[in-house]
Amino acid sequence: MEGDFIRINKWLLPFSWLYGCGVRFRNFLFDVGILKSHAFHTPVISVGNITVGGTGKTPHVEYLIRLLKDQVNVAVLSRGYKRHTKGFLVADEQTTASEIGDEPFQMKTKFDGITIAVDKDRVHGITMLTEQNKNLDVILLDDAFQHRYVKPGVSILLVDYHRLIIYDQLLPAGRLREPLGGKDRADIVIVTKCPRDLKPMEFRVITKAMNLYPYQHLFFTTLEYENLHHIYNKVERPLTDLHPEENVLLLTGIASPQQLMEDLSPYTQHLYPLSFSDHHQFKEKDIQHINDTFAALPSPKCIITTEKDAARIVSCKGFSDEVKKSIYSLPVRIKFMLEQQEIFNENIIGYVRKNSRNSILVKRKDDHKSENSHRSGDRPRTISFRNN
């Protein structure tokens, strides 16, 4: 598994050692209390990673939003990577992707009734959110595993199946942003982007290799795709409607497009990837290149991009009419494997319920308990989280 997925630049290992010394010293300062971690009365759930590159943070945060939004008052706080604004900002109906970043913008456009905010200083951001909304029940921290100034009630660490941290190295030789021991701070570890046909033996091998503590709990998720959405008129098109002979230009500005390419390959024999760097800001020359590349493809043809890229593309000027008519985003959701979904849901809801003032959640939880009391079988395992 190590040889299949991980590429290490051994010549850079001395620099990784120096980098690791700096990160370990920073973590030491937090561990002994010289640098302070702040806890909050409002439940805080952090989702993040310790690697450079995409591990599926946004789909997992969106899963938590769907799980909680109809029961409690939810806010999402993100850094707002590569946004053109500074400081604390709460998104409204007029907010653009350039103001809050493409991922928070994506979540804002998909979910009504939740608060989306950005602030590089997460302590300040949480303080502002709780001051502005006294009825806030839970805050989801997007990409904040290493932001140790906040002490979350639940810390979720995401690990890409295709680049398992147990076989990786620190920057710059590998992609780890901190030593492997950083995983010990997580309450929940999720191995993401798993193949749908992962064998039972592979689950056992990964579980043993991760070497988690008893207080930590390991989950596995895979990706599922929804209908294609036209990014301008919102018309849906089932992915299965793609013709095997249709020419598909796969337009991405994400860290790891390989998985998407593999997942789309069964639907078409003619897939043409056009990849840019993660969070790429499309300029005039890029737009012209996209126009020219798509014009050169024979019909039938279409363009598929990610939701994150669509958040930036939709406001770009200069796309040809042919491109505008043919470009779709591909929404993605996560799915828990090994029938772990109920266990995960029960424990997240249980944590929020225990720390929330929201009576609706308490009532629904009690109703759920009453309903399940008539069923046979084992109850889901509970996870003991830290109190805020």
Side-chain angles (χ1 to χ4, degrees), residues 135-190:
N135 296 318
L136 199 58
D137 293 301
V138 60
I139 297 173
L140 307 178
L141 287 185
D142 179 24
D143 194 14
F145 187 81
Q146 292 186 290
H147 196 89
R148 295 197 62 184
Y149 290 101
V150 173
K151 185 179 181 180
V154 178
S155 185
I156 300 175
L157 174 65
L158 305 183
V159 177
D160 187 345
Y161 167 85
H162 298 283
R163 195 174 181 98
L164 294 172
I165 58 176
I166 50 179
Y167 302 128
D168 213 338
Q169 292 286 343
L170 285 167
L171 292 168
R175 292 187 182 177
L176 291 182
R177 294 191 287 190
E178 67 172 289
L180 185 60
K183 69 181 174 64
D184 298 343
R185 299 196 306 274
D187 300 294
I188 291 173
V189 178
I190 302 178

Side-chain angles (χ1 to χ4, degrees), residues 46-62:
S46 170
V47 179
N49 58 26
I50 59 173
T51 56
V52 174
T55 53
K57 291 186 295 294
T58 301
H60 285 78
V61 173
E62 290 183 352

Side-chain angles (χ1 to χ4, degrees), residues 293-359:
T293 303
F294 188 63
L297 294 179
S299 297
K301 58 184 175 180
C302 70
I303 301 176
I304 295 179
T305 190
T306 68
E307 286 185 293
K308 185 172 78 169
D309 292 313
R312 300 189 308 278
I313 290 172
V314 73
S315 61
C316 291
K317 310 289 185 184
F319 284 114
S320 67
D321 291 339
E322 186 180 33
V323 166
K324 288 182 178 180
K325 183 178 68 175
S326 309
I327 186 167
Y328 296 85
S329 66
L330 181 58
V332 62
R333 291 195 186 196
I334 65 152
K335 178 182 179 181
F336 281 88
M337 309 178 78
L338 301 177
E339 299 182 350
Q340 294 177 315
Q341 178 172 327
E342 186 178 357
I343 298 173
F344 180 86
N345 292 355
E346 286 279 340
N347 285 281
I348 293 296
I349 291 174
Y351 161 72
V352 177
R353 176 196 181 217
K354 183 179 178 180
N355 294 276
S356 173
R357 301 179 300 274
N358 189 288
S359 59

Side-chain angles (χ1 to χ4, degrees), residues 69-299:
K69 69 181 180 67
D70 294 331
Q71 306 182 63
V72 293
N73 192 348
V74 178
V76 177
L77 179 62
S78 175
R79 173 187 175 185
Y81 184 63
K82 286 198 174 181
R83 62 185 172 120
H84 296 162
T85 57
K86 295 185 180 298
F88 176 76
L89 178 64
V90 176
D92 57 29
E93 297 303 320
Q94 285 72 46
T95 302
T96 64
S98 64
E99 292 175 313
I100 60 173
D102 48 19
E103 290 161 335
F105 181 80
Q106 172 184 322
M107 288 184 273
K108 179 63 179 175
T109 57
K110 291 177 72 171
F111 300 102
D112 295 325
I114 70 167
T115 301
I116 302 291
V118 291
D119 197 337
K120 184 178 180 180
D121 184 341
R122 308 302 174 86
V123 174
H124 178 258
I126 294 174
T127 302
M128 293 295 292
L129 280 171
T130 54
E131 287 179 355
Q132 292 182 9
N133 187 349
K134 302 298 183 182
N135 296 318
L136 199 58
D137 293 301
V138 60
I139 297 173
L140 307 178
L141 287 185
D142 179 24
D143 194 14
F145 187 81
Q146 292 186 290
H147 196 89
R148 295 197 62 184
Y149 290 101
V150 173
K151 185 179 181 180
V154 178
S155 185
I156 300 175
L157 174 65
L158 305 183
V159 177
D160 187 345
Y161 167 85
H162 298 283
R163 195 174 181 98
L164 294 172
I165 58 176
I166 50 179
Y167 302 128
D168 213 338
Q169 292 286 343
L170 285 167
L171 292 168
R175 292 187 182 177
L176 291 182
R177 294 191 287 190
E178 67 172 289
L180 185 60
K183 69 181 174 64
D184 298 343
R185 299 196 306 274
D187 300 294
I188 291 173
V189 178
I190 302 178
V191 180
T192 69
K193 303 182 182 180
C194 295
R196 297 179 185 88
D197 58 350
L198 200 62
K199 302 295 187 295
M201 177 60 73
E202 293 182 89
F203 286 115
R204 291 194 290 269
V205 169
I206 293 173
T207 299
K208 182 177 180 180
M210 288 297 295
N211 192 30
L212 299 182
Y213 284 100
Y215 63 82
Q216 297 176 296
H217 297 266
L218 183 64
F219 295 87
F220 296 83
T221 61
T222 188
L223 298 179
E224 287 192 332
Y225 298 102
E226 300 180 320
N227 289 341
L228 295 166
H229 283 67
H230 196 281
I231 72 170
Y232 292 105
N233 60 30
K234 307 304 179 184
V235 171
E236 293 189 22
R237 179 185 179 188
L239 193 57
T240 52
D241 273 6
L242 286 178
H243 192 277
E245 296 300 322
E246 188 165 358
N247 294 279
V248 177
L249 181 64
L250 181 59
L251 174 60
T252 60
I254 58 177
S256 304
Q258 291 82 5
Q259 182 68 49
L260 182 56
M261 292 171 58
E262 292 177 12
D263 292 341
L264 285 177
S265 59
Y267 297 96
T268 176
Q269 300 175 16
H270 307 285
L271 189 63
Y272 301 91
L274 183 56
S275 303
F276 295 86
S277 60
D278 196 18
H279 298 275
H280 183 76
Q281 299 296 322
F282 295 98
K283 298 179 173 57
E284 184 178 348
K285 64 177 182 179
D286 302 320
I287 294 171
Q288 188 57 53
H289 181 47
I290 295 168
N291 289 341
D292 294 341
T293 303
F294 188 63
L297 294 179
S299 297

